[in-house]
Amino acid sequence: AHVSLWVTTMSCAVGARLAVPVARRVVLVRAQRVSGITARASSRITGPVLTRCKQKDALHRVRTVHLSVLAPRRGLAASTAVATNAKSKASATSGASAIVSDTDKPLYEAVVVVAGGIEDDGSLPAWVTGRLDFAAAEYERHQRCNTPHNTPPPYIVLSGSATPHKPPPVAKGGFTLHESTAMASYLLGKGIPGDAILKDTSSMDTIGNAYFSLTTHAVPKNWKNVLIVTSKFHMARTRAAFEWVWGLENLDGGKFSEIAMAFHATDDFGLAPETVAARLAREQKSERALRANREKIKTITEFHHWLYTTHMCYAVGRQHEIGEFEEMKNDPALKSY
């Protein structure tokens, strides 16, 4: 009886010891099967999504290269505002704690700030100071990155004389107070040195902003990487104008200039929703006309002829139209000029 009990006890003990590894192996095999099924199901779900994301990313890269006249040099990479904002939003949404340093951001040789209006007393509206605040921050960032391997702080180009939609304010001595002059005073007040600020006092519209900033400053300075800044409501037409004018052909069939352009849109500070809506309607109409002219005018010579014989702001044959403000008197978009 003792022997039988001992054998039974030993059998139970051995069986228990053998059962544990076996049970573990059974659980492991089942888990692997479930994991494999899940992985295959997951790949079926995520595979097409990842493929689409890769396709979209490739398409975005092609589009970005197409929008730039020349691929930027290493260390001076141009990026679009859309891409930059998208990365920032994605990082914020994912809760990522990584901080992008100043040296990881693109560096430029110049920041072109498009003028956007001036008050009757010579002060600047909020949406214009928003553009200037961004440009000042860019200058300071470049100053922090200024090493022998990087470019010095960029020039800030202030592009704008006046608008044909309302009379300009008068400066001391009875001179016209150009928008770019008021903008320069604002930047000087923020500590930006005067020798880093360049003015364009000829342009009276967005096409003029593109032409005169190019011919007065960008070409003589031989810049290769430039950032263009304006407000959101003005960005579509600004981008279309700069890509057209800065990408015009010369007499030899090559590009008149070889400059990589990037664009940054600041918020529409200080504008009521109805004013933004009215301005966007005008912007869309002007952009359609711009793109129609772009299809016909391909060289810098053709553009120069068109600008000075056809455009109201620059053609002698139409200079009598400047100062006729009836069109804009009851237009809510007037508040954005």
Side-chain angles (χ1 to χ4, degrees):
H2 289 294
V3 172
S4 175
L5 178 61
W6 179 82
V7 170
T8 302
T9 303
M10 286 296 293
S11 298
C12 293
V14 171
R17 289 180 180 180
L18 291 174
V20 172
V22 171
R24 286 177 179 171
R25 284 196 296 273
V26 170
V27 171
L28 180 61
V29 169
R30 288 177 178 173
Q32 289 173 339
R33 287 175 180 173
V34 172
S35 176
I37 294 170
T38 304
R40 287 194 297 273
S42 176
S43 66
R44 292 193 191 103
I45 295 172
T46 60
V49 176
L50 290 173
T51 301
R52 287 195 297 271
C53 290
K54 290 177 181 177
Q55 290 172 345
K56 286 178 68 178
D57 183 57
L59 181 61
H60 172 73
R61 288 196 298 271
V62 170
R63 185 173 180 271
T64 302
V65 171
H66 170 71
L67 292 178
S68 295
V69 177
L70 180 71
R73 294 174 294 175
R74 185 173 182 176
L76 294 168
S79 66
T80 63
V82 174
T84 303
N85 291 341
K87 289 180 181 178
S88 300
K89 289 179 181 177
S91 178
T93 303
S94 64
S97 58
I99 298 174
V100 179
S101 67
D102 287 340
T103 55
D104 292 331
K105 298 177 183 178
L107 297 175
Y108 308 98
E109 293 166 284
V111 177
V112 176
V113 183
V114 178
I118 191 169
E119 304 291 358
D120 293 339
D121 63 359
S123 61
L124 296 170
W127 61 91
V128 175
T129 57
R131 304 175 195 182
L132 295 170
D133 289 341
F134 176 81
E138 277 294 291
Y139 179 88
E140 292 166 357
R141 179 176 72 84
H142 281 67
Q143 197 170 39
R144 292 192 297 271
C145 296
N146 186 16
T147 71
H149 303 290
N150 292 326
T151 60
Y155 286 99
I156 300 178
V157 178
L158 306 175
S159 181
S161 170
T163 175
H165 300 302
K166 66 179 185 180
V170 178
K172 66 179 181 179
F175 291 95
T176 297
L177 178 58
H178 297 292
E179 292 182 30
S180 55
T181 299
M183 294 164 73
S185 296
Y186 181 87
L187 288 179
L188 290 171
K190 292 182 72 69
I192 305 300
D195 57 4
I197 302 172
L198 302 174
K199 295 193 299 183
D200 146 35
T201 57
S202 299
S203 58
M204 296 184 69
D205 77 321
T206 307
I207 291 177
N209 294 142
Y211 180 75
F212 290 107
S213 61
L214 174 70
T215 57
T216 307
H217 298 300
V219 170
K221 284 288 188 181
N222 196 31
W223 290 329
K224 298 302 180 185
N225 302 82
V226 175
L227 176 66
I228 296 108
V229 179
T230 192
S231 302
K232 289 179 179 178
F233 72 82
H234 190 224
M235 178 51 76
R237 183 158 64 109
T238 297
R239 187 165 194 158
F242 274 79
E243 288 173 350
W244 174 29
V245 177
W246 289 34
L248 288 166
E249 298 175 3
N250 59 28
L251 296 177
D252 298 327
K255 294 295 183 183
F256 176 67
S257 66
E258 294 187 340
I259 303 173
M261 291 173 282
F263 299 85
H264 179 86
T266 56
D267 289 334
D268 301 330
F269 299 108
L271 288 172
E274 59 271 20
T275 303
V276 173
R279 181 61 187 267
L280 283 173
R282 290 185 63 88
E283 289 292 313
Q284 291 168 359
K285 180 181 177 181
S286 298
E287 185 183 349
R288 285 193 296 270
L290 184 154
R291 292 188 180 280
N293 285 316
R294 180 177 180 172
E295 292 301 312
K296 298 180 290 185
I297 301 168
K298 302 293 186 180
T299 70
I300 191 68
T301 303
E302 293 171 346
F303 180 87
H304 180 274
H305 177 77
W306 170 81
L307 187 72
Y308 284 104
T309 60
T310 305
H311 199 296
M312 182 187 74
C313 294
Y314 313 104
V316 172
R318 298 187 65 185
Q319 66 183 21
H320 62 280
E321 298 177 42
I322 300 293
E324 297 177 1
F325 306 118
E326 292 299 324
E327 177 196 359
M328 292 293 295
K329 276 187 177 179
N330 299 317
D331 192 330
L334 179 62
K335 296 179 181 179
S336 65
Y337 288 95

